[in-house]
Amino acid sequence: MNTALKILLAGGGVVAVAASLNFFSEEEASEFHNGIYEPPEEKTYIADIISSAVAMSTRSHKLTAPAPYRRDVHAKAHGCVKATFSVPELNQPNLRYGVFKEPREYQAWIRYSSGDTMPQPDSVRDARGMAIKLMNIDSPTLLKDKQNAGSQDFVMINNDVFFIPTVKEYKTFMQTQAQGDKFGYFFDNFNWNIFKWHYRQLYLGASTLKAAPDSLLTERYYSLSAYRLGPEQFMKYSAKACDSNTSIKVDDDKPNFLRTELSENLSSNAACFDFMVQLQNPSKNMPVEDTTVRWKESDSPFVKVARITIPKQQFDTPEQNAFCENLSFTPWHGTQDLEPVGGINRLRKAVYDGVSRFRHGKNNVEKQEPQGWCLSLDGKPCPTNNEGVVP
């Protein structure tokens, strides 16, 4: 059955099946409307999810040893690249919060990845991730043990909605994933009663599994979940590739052709992205607690607040790849003005930290935040030459 299902997913047949049964809808109303609601049992679900995530990391390690322990998801990195994140003076006062409060240029690291729990050939349909880490921000951050880390992370994939609506549902999904069953959640452990199957989640999950792009530098990436932008409004964010970005033809029969394309492209070309925010319109169906509901651009357009520039560079070295594996990204590396909100973000706070501590401990690597473009995670500022440039 799994083989048949994979064929169905790959061919997009599940979309037609689910659509014909009308088990999903873009207009589905959010249970909690547009505000924040934390169910009292949520912390119990999160504890169960952490256990499943650690089990997934352990299972991945057993299958790929002697490779180091990896993340539970987005296990395959295509590379970490140096970038700058430039914030102009913004005309709208309601945008000037957090790192957007004043004109400034930040040094950043960007990690590109594929979403699966296991490294797999790039030809396999998957979500692709773009995680950005700004360094040396001035304000204290949200994680109590990392308040002075100076990091603001933005975590995105190349799809604009998530496929699990609540933490409770995510617990069930992760339990089947930890058992190595990618499809059990969607089919209620293959229960014969088709009315218990998760059709809408299956459709949305299949939509995230995209064919590999020509280049990771020509994709658009989205936050999926919501964040504060100051004390009284919510937002989502997105990184849109500049029209000037190009792709390089490489052999896509190779298992790691996305890394090859990224490396060859950046060896001769720079790239850029527009970083944009989408403010919640409280009068529209733009929920915080349900990440399966798309925030329509017709209800609230994205507004550009920064420019990401990726200069020409050579990144694919053993030293930089090891540095990349040891980085930690979480939406909770950030300031109060950009606080993550909603159940999936509350879940991320605990799970990202728990899995990060687990894999760093297993790999015998101290967990630290970078302070610049040097390949160092000792928490110290990067050394510079006489011109103030990192060697």
Side-chain angles (χ1 to χ4, degrees), residues 19 40-41 43 48 53 87 103 121 131 161 196 214 242 251 253 349:
E41 67 277 11
K43 287 183 173 62
D48 291 339
V87 179
V161 292
K196 291 186 176 182
D214 292 335
C242 296
D251 184 356
D253 289 329
K349 183 178 184 179

Side-chain angles (χ1 to χ4, degrees), residues 77-82 109-110 112 216-217 258-267 310-322 324 375:
H78 303 296
C80 283
V81 301
K82 299 173 183 178
W109 284 101
I110 299 177
Y112 288 102
L216 295 162
L217 299 174
L258 287 175
R259 173 182 284 271
T260 300
E261 195 283 335
L262 186 65
S263 178
E264 293 187 9
N265 201 335
L266 289 179
S267 68
I310 305 174
K312 292 190 292 184
Q313 59 191 278
Q314 301 288 339
F315 70 85
D316 195 6
T317 67
E319 295 79 13
Q320 191 154 322
N321 292 336
C324 186
L375 302 182

Side-chain angles (χ1 to χ4, degrees), residues 329-388:
F329 291 88
T330 169
W332 292 87
H333 280 152
T335 67
Q336 182 65 47
D337 279 343
L338 304 180
E339 179 190 9
V341 292
I344 295 301
N345 274 330
R346 292 189 293 270
L347 164 67
R348 282 168 150 181
K349 183 178 184 179
V351 173
Y352 282 32
D353 184 61
V355 173
S356 179
R357 290 180 184 277
F358 171 77
R359 68 183 181 87
H360 279 81
K362 287 291 188 179
N363 294 332
N364 196 29
V365 176
E366 187 176 359
K367 184 180 177 184
Q368 294 282 359
E369 285 295 288
Q371 299 301 309
W373 283 339
C374 57
L375 302 182
S376 172
L377 284 171
D378 59 9
K380 299 178 182 178
C382 290
T384 58
N385 61 21
N386 294 332
E387 286 75 38

Side-chain angles (χ1 to χ4, degrees), residues 152-171:
Q152 173 69 59
D153 292 0
F154 298 109
V155 181
M156 298 169 282
I157 70 168
N158 61 340
N159 200 61
D160 58 355
V161 292
F162 196 45
F163 61 96
I164 304 290
T166 64
V167 173
K168 182 179 180 179
E169 289 294 312
Y170 197 74
K171 181 198 76 166

Side-chain angles (χ1 to χ4, degrees), residues 78-226:
H78 303 296
C80 283
V81 301
K82 299 173 183 178
T84 57
F85 189 95
S86 303
V87 179
E89 184 168 358
L90 300 172
N91 294 326
Q92 296 176 237
N94 64 334
L95 299 178
R96 298 184 201 140
Y97 292 99
V99 296
F100 311 113
K101 65 183 177 183
E102 59 188 10
R104 183 171 167 185
E105 183 175 282
Y106 297 89
Q107 289 185 338
W109 284 101
I110 299 177
R111 180 181 187 262
Y112 288 102
S113 62
S114 285
D116 200 82
T117 186
M118 292 287 293
Q120 56 188 359
D122 294 340
S123 58
V124 178
R125 298 178 72 91
D126 203 350
R128 317 294 168 174
M130 179 183 186
I132 306 170
K133 182 181 294 294
L134 311 188
M135 296 173 286
N136 300 311
I137 64 172
D138 296 330
S139 303
T141 56
L142 292 163
L143 296 177
K144 291 182 179 179
D145 61 339
K146 295 289 183 182
Q147 285 186 324
N148 298 317
S151 299
Q152 173 69 59
D153 292 0
F154 298 109
V155 181
M156 298 169 282
I157 70 168
N158 61 340
N159 200 61
D160 58 355
V161 292
F162 196 45
F163 61 96
I164 304 290
T166 64
V167 173
K168 182 179 180 179
E169 289 294 312
Y170 197 74
K171 181 198 76 166
T172 306
F173 170 75
M174 286 292 283
Q175 286 173 336
T176 62
Q177 293 290 298
Q179 296 164 4
D181 185 350
K182 291 187 176 184
F183 306 107
Y185 163 77
F186 300 107
F187 296 97
D188 194 36
N189 289 319
F190 301 101
N191 190 322
W192 65 270
N193 185 352
I194 65 172
F195 294 100
K196 291 186 176 182
W197 292 2
H198 295 94
Y199 290 96
R200 184 169 184 270
Q201 288 90 322
L202 177 61
Y203 164 73
L204 294 173
S207 298
T208 69
L209 303 180
K210 302 178 187 297
D214 292 335
S215 174
L216 295 162
L217 299 174
T218 56
E219 286 291 273
R220 183 170 179 180
Y221 302 87
Y222 299 85
S223 67
L224 302 180
S225 54

